[in-house]
Amino acid sequence: MMIFGVPGYLVRKFELNNAAIVLALILGLLGEKGLRRSLLISDGNPAIFFESPVCIILIILCFFGILSPIFMAKLESKMQKSQTDEENITN
């Protein structure tokens, strides 16, 4: 029970998305196998991931996906600040 209880507690405490965790558990093994296969084909050269335009587009999308919560939080705080400024002006 401790093996599943501690991660479950941490998921609830940090309000993590359950669907993302399940998706990562399922697709993680497939991604790791694909990574190994690609590195074996290229004799361990990681430049294979930057040679194809499709790979570059996917890497850029991954960066946007990782950084989007930060940008959304900043945008949300700016919007809230502008709303409070407008309320102060009208009062």
Side-chain angles (χ1 to χ4, degrees):
M1 284 186 354
M2 291 294 288
I3 292 172
F4 292 105
V6 172
Y9 171 76
L10 293 174
V11 166
R12 282 201 175 175
K13 182 176 180 178
F14 294 114
E15 298 176 0
L16 300 176
N17 188 350
N18 294 336
I21 293 171
V22 171
L23 190 64
L25 289 173
I26 293 171
L27 295 180
L29 295 174
L30 292 171
E32 188 176 346
K33 287 179 185 177
L35 175 69
R36 285 185 188 163
R37 191 176 308 133
S38 298
L39 288 174
L40 281 172
I41 290 170
S42 69
D43 293 326
N45 186 5
I48 192 171
F49 301 116
F50 304 102
E51 293 174 353
S52 168
V54 174
C55 290
I56 294 170
I57 290 171
L58 289 175
I59 290 170
I60 291 169
L61 288 175
C62 286
F63 279 120
F64 280 133
I66 291 169
L67 297 176
S68 67
I70 296 169
F71 292 131
M72 293 302 289
K74 286 184 179 183
L75 180 65
E76 196 172 293
S77 67
K78 276 186 177 181
M79 290 179 67
Q80 288 177 350
K81 184 178 177 184
S82 67
Q83 285 178 351
T84 56
D85 289 344
E86 288 176 7
E87 289 175 2
N88 290 337
I89 292 172
T90 58
N91 291 336

